Amino acid sequence: MVLDIVLTLAAALLGCFLLLRWLMACGLGIPMEDSFFMLQPEKHRICQRPGEKMLRRQENGKIFLTALAFRAALLLLSGLILLFLAGEGEPMSLQNAWMRGDSCHYFHLAEEGYSGYIENGEHLFLVFFPLYVWLVRGVNLLLGNTFVSGLTVSFLCYSAACVFVYRLAREELNRRAAQRAVVFLSVFPFSFFFGGMMTESVFLLTTSASLLYIRRHRWWAAGIWGALAAMTRMHGVLLAGAAIAELLESNQVLARDGRGWKERLLPVLKRLPCALLPFAGTGVYLLLNYVVDGDPFAFLVHQQHWNQGFMWFSQTLQYVGENAFAWGDLPTRAAIWIPQLVLFGLFFALLAICWRRFPSMYTLYAFFYLMLNYSLSWLLSGGRYLSCGVPFFLFAAAVTEKRPALEKGLTAAMAALMGIYLFAWLNGASIY
């Protein structure tokens, strides 16, 4: 009870600071330049210079190819690990090694479709969002191998996502810091899932693209990418909140500057349909539920099979903490419960440290993304979900600015942990 209150108060305090800061940025109260809530440091946008467009294309291509090579190297490492684990016996194939947990379900959904993949007479797999499945099915028409098609989609989406994450970081940080953000994202302990047959790469791509276009006020592009994110995972609808926060702030809707309410709200109302497009993505998912099961909310029923539902985040943290210290076997504690507990504390601390360094669209999105991920009644994949928390990697890049020892230590520690978790995953450990 006491822990619930403490955690709730801490989150409420940070959330109130973030909301108040956003309201101040929208023009409420004293000017931001005189306020404790002022953006620190001031943002420096990239200056457009002759030849800059060509340089950016070259830079984007280099990042894409480097990210693709990194994923290929990890796939090769996976093969070497399987050879090591096999000893003198026959090594397990890469496909069999990676067809575990959700990967297996996405594989069968891509092959059989939502109507055809049934267990116990029920469409239990409607809980899995459709965009990744549909992309794999489309690519499979060309490649003719579902597993290869799944990895192709994941590899390409991850590589493109690294470009968007870099461009997004360059909106707020210098080039070196933007590179750090991509490196931190890539060596995050659970980032090896970006190369598997799961939705992480697609969600990372759609989220980072939507955030970039929100920041650049390209509202149609932001909304379309947000809709695609909402077709990949339920968290995609949070991008509508990020878009609305930036839209209201950029139009200074609460500023006392002589404008009437019509002048303040009309530009917002014109762009509001674009900001709300992520809900259209959710609508596609509900339509899929209706077509397959006759009920747009059938997934809520099927979630019970997976022991999933909403739980207040402090209660989730309480059972995660209890399991981190008292679960029956140490390997499971080290694979699931301890990382989830530690990562929540680290991500919460990053947000608390950086809340004045970034515009509100980042901090508000990051706050609700973290809280939503830790509001599940049976959380097993917290680390995997946080690997797609794009703003947090920008925060980490900002925190390590002019701290080379911290940068190198953090990079080395995360890379080592990623290698350990990849090895454990291929060895059959309970990592989700």
Side-chain angles (χ1 to χ4, degrees):
M1 182 66 178
V2 175
L3 182 61
D4 282 348
I5 295 174
V6 171
L7 290 172
T8 300
L9 286 177
L13 181 62
L14 179 58
C16 287
F17 266 106
L18 297 178
L19 286 171
L20 182 57
R21 175 177 176 267
W22 171 64
L23 291 172
M24 300 287 286
C26 289
L28 178 68
I30 61 177
M32 281 290 288
E33 59 266 20
D34 299 325
S35 170
F36 169 70
F37 297 93
M38 181 178 68
L39 188 65
Q40 293 285 346
E42 290 187 3
K43 183 177 163 310
H44 299 284
R45 284 192 174 273
I46 305 169
C47 296
Q48 195 79 352
R49 298 183 296 273
E52 180 71 20
K53 189 173 182 180
M54 180 61 71
L55 289 172
R56 286 190 181 184
R57 286 180 179 176
Q58 294 174 354
E59 199 171 33
N60 292 348
K62 183 178 180 180
I63 293 169
F64 180 88
L65 292 175
T66 301
L68 192 60
F70 180 69
R71 288 262 65 92
L74 286 181
L75 186 64
L76 176 60
L77 176 61
S78 298
L80 294 175
I81 291 173
L82 291 175
L83 286 173
F84 173 81
L85 292 173
E88 297 182 0
E90 185 70 23
M92 182 184 296
S93 69
L94 279 171
Q95 178 170 337
N96 289 337
W98 279 92
M99 284 295 97
R100 296 177 50 227
D102 291 349
S103 296
C104 182
H105 302 313
Y106 284 114
F107 179 87
H108 287 292
L109 283 170
E111 289 213 326
E112 304 171 35
Y114 281 90
S115 297
Y117 188 29
I118 298 174
E119 185 175 303
N120 298 327
E122 298 181 87
H123 298 107
L124 299 176
F125 306 99
L126 277 171
V127 298
F128 295 96
F129 280 58
L131 182 59
Y132 178 73
V133 173
W134 292 343
L135 288 174
V136 174
R137 287 173 71 92
V139 173
N140 198 37
L141 294 175
L142 299 174
L143 300 183
N145 184 298
T146 304
F147 178 69
V148 173
S149 298
L151 293 194
T152 299
V153 171
S154 293
F155 278 36
L156 293 178
C157 287
Y158 162 79
S159 302
C162 286
V163 175
F164 278 106
V165 170
Y166 178 81
R167 300 306 337 166
L168 184 65
R170 282 295 281 134
E171 292 288 305
E172 317 300 336
L173 305 167
N174 59 48
R175 179 172 280 103
R176 182 69 187 90
Q179 292 171 349
R180 283 200 306 277
V182 175
V183 170
F184 290 156
L185 169 73
S186 300
V187 300
F188 184 70
F190 293 90
S191 67
F192 66 89
F193 282 114
F194 289 133
M197 198 167 178
M198 293 189 181
T199 61
E200 269 57 47
S201 290
V202 176
F203 189 67
L204 180 70
L205 171 60
T206 53
T207 298
S208 57
S210 183
L211 287 172
L212 176 63
Y213 290 124
I214 289 171
R215 190 66 183 124
R216 293 182 174 178
H217 299 174
R218 294 175 57 181
W219 301 110
W220 276 110
I224 291 170
W225 282 106
L228 293 174
M231 290 169 59
T232 310
R233 192 176 292 170
M234 67 174 179
H235 305 68
V237 296
L238 293 178
L239 292 164
I244 292 171
E246 180 68 14
L247 183 59
L248 294 174
E249 180 177 336
S250 63
N251 284 277
Q252 290 283 285
V253 293
L254 299 178
R256 298 179 180 179
D257 52 9
R259 291 178 298 162
W261 281 107
K262 184 176 180 181
E263 295 175 282
R264 300 181 194 196
L265 292 180
L266 190 58
V268 173
L269 293 175
K270 287 181 178 179
R271 295 168 177 84
L272 190 59
C274 303
L276 295 176
L277 273 177
F279 289 100
T282 301
V284 171
Y285 175 60
L286 298 180
L287 179 61
L288 172 67
N289 277 258
Y290 178 78
V291 170
V292 173
D293 232 11
D295 179 1
F297 299 100
F299 70 96
L300 293 175
V301 177
H302 297 314
Q303 279 181 347
Q304 299 173 13
H305 170 81
W306 305 95
N307 298 314
Q308 289 294 3
F310 178 81
M311 177 177 284
W312 188 244
F313 83 97
S314 63
Q315 295 176 308
T316 299
L317 283 174
Q318 184 169 342
Y319 77 69
V320 168
E322 291 172 353
N323 291 338
F325 291 100
W327 192 263
D329 62 288
L330 181 59
T332 303
R333 286 157 56 191
I336 300 177
W337 305 114
I338 295 175
Q340 292 188 141
L341 183 63
V342 172
L343 285 173
F344 180 88
L346 291 176
F347 275 54
F348 191 90
L350 267 178
L351 179 56
I353 292 170
C354 295
W355 71 279
R356 284 207 300 165
R357 298 192 187 186
F358 289 85
S360 291
M361 59 161 280
Y362 296 103
T363 55
L364 288 173
Y365 175 83
F367 177 80
F368 287 105
Y369 184 82
L370 181 62
M371 294 299 114
L372 183 59
N373 276 301
Y374 277 78
S375 296
L376 293 175
S377 57
W378 190 238
L379 181 63
L380 296 176
S381 307
R384 177 158 63 91
Y385 298 155
L386 291 181
S387 67
C388 297
V390 175
F392 291 101
F393 297 101
L394 274 62
F395 300 162
V399 168
T400 52
E401 182 69 20
K402 297 181 181 179
R403 295 184 175 94
L406 179 60
E407 174 193 348
K408 293 176 182 177
L410 183 60
T411 304
M414 288 199 297
L417 285 171
M418 183 183 68
I420 291 171
Y421 281 115
L422 175 60
F423 183 92
W425 160 266
L426 295 171
N427 198 30
S430 300
I431 300 175
Y432 303 100

